[in-house]
Amino acid sequence: MAQTRIASGGISATTRRLFARGCRSIWRWIVAWVERRERTSTNGKRTVTYRVRWRETDGRARAKTFRRKVEADRFAAMVSADIVRGHYIDPDAGKVRFDDYAEQWLAAQTFEEGTVEMVKLRFRLHVMPHLGSRNLADIQPSTIQGWLRTLTGLSGNYQKVMYANVSSVFTAAVDDGLIPKNPCKAPSVRRPKSDPSKLKPWTHEQAMAVRDHLPDQFKLVVDLGIGLGLRQGEIFGLSLDDIDLNTGEIEIKRQVNLLGSNRQLFGLPKGRKIRTVPLPDRVLELINDHVTRYPPRSVTLPWDKSDGPERSFDLILYSRESRALNRNYFNPKIWRPALRAAGLEAKRENGCHALRHFYASTLLDAGESILALSEYLGHADPGFTLRTYTHLMPSSTERTKAAIDAMLSVPSAPH
């Protein structure tokens, strides 16, 4: 019959001194210790293992066995230090698959429905094939770096978004006490960077050329983009009821969202932020001219969620079927042919968002402040506006020289 013999070897000198001084509470409740276990089989073969024993903060006894003493000592020291510092985490807590925990994390978020679908798509295509089947505790910084290498070929901005999503999952796991650290935040992980190219706004001639080649009922898309700085979904969701003629302003309070399977719904603007934008007289004239020839049509869609309550609005722009414009139809069938006819490449940079960039460059060139521009564009952070458009701000060189020359040209007061 096999026999097992246990020795209390492997305990550190510091632990033995504390025990000798009577610190039994530390011995029993805080410090992890190593036991040498020797097992002899019936055929006389001897096997030596090292078992680390400790008690968790709730008094529950735990143990873990190692083949090598150095590994056992290292683990015991780590557990003891974590308990003393109050950072102890159950080593088994992280034995949760990344895909299972990511699903729980996503279900707990307050994202809009369209954002949830986009995150699910990113995870399914680019994250789960590499991280999904791994336990949270087994994913190390080197694992994250290896996953990032698989994203080569995707745009830097797209990589940044996916990295942020994955990092958020691990941050939640740290907060839930499943893992001690977020592997995405390790110094050895090289985080994705944004694409270095600076946006180049269209010229006035290019914007007008695109407008000229759009069907007559859609020319107002360009007018609202370059005249108000609206996003495409906000243009599609605009109603005459949003205009305040008394103040000369327009309230941007809805957009048309597009979910999977071409499902549309009304919702708040991006960031769920309603904003007010100055309404130039010329833009108002263009709106009036448009609605005279193409009267607004009432469109009914769910609000905020695909199963949300239905709401109706008289939209200024709509499809031939009197429905809300769908970007999956408008972009390839209406917008891109106009781009090509205007001599512009039909690529992402020349989407409807280019109209917002034109609006921003026009305001900055006229001396508008970054803070005001940020409000008009609906950015949550003026710093983002500054980082995006700082290279478009007019040079201050001449203004600086003129200011100093004027100051120095003033005669000094007599003494």
Side-chain angles (χ1 to χ4, degrees), residues 283-308:
V283 177
L284 179 59
E285 291 175 5
L286 292 168
I287 293 175
N288 286 332
D289 177 66
H290 174 87
V291 298
T292 298
R293 292 177 291 116
Y294 305 99
R297 298 287 175 86
S298 179
V299 175
T300 302
L301 290 173
W303 177 263
D304 201 40
K305 298 180 180 179
S306 56
D307 58 352

Side-chain angles (χ1 to χ4, degrees), residues 95 213 273 384:
K95 292 182 179 179
H213 287 94
K273 182 179 179 181
F384 173 79

Side-chain angles (χ1 to χ4, degrees), residues 98 131 134-148 163 166-174 178-191:
F98 178 88
L131 303 178
R134 297 174 182 262
N135 288 337
L136 293 173
D138 296 334
I139 299 177
Q140 303 299 315
S142 58
T143 313
I144 297 299
Q145 191 61 55
W147 163 64
L148 289 174
Y163 171 84
V166 171
S167 183
S168 295
V169 173
F170 284 112
T171 295
V174 172
L178 301 182
I179 54 177
K181 296 180 181 179
N182 182 344
C184 292
K185 295 183 178 180
S188 60
V189 175
R190 299 181 60 185
R191 304 179 185 184

Side-chain angles (χ1 to χ4, degrees), residues 1-2 24 41 57 64 90 98 112 176 190 208 213 225 234 242 249 272 310 320 325-326 394 400 411:
M1 182 177 180
R24 295 179 181 274
S41 63
T57 53
K64 186 172 183 178
D90 183 350
F98 178 88
E112 294 181 357
D176 286 344
R190 299 181 60 185
M208 291 300 100
H213 287 94
E234 296 167 349
D242 304 330
E249 296 175 327
R272 308 187 71 81
E310 290 191 341
R320 290 175 299 179
L325 287 175
N326 185 320
T400 299

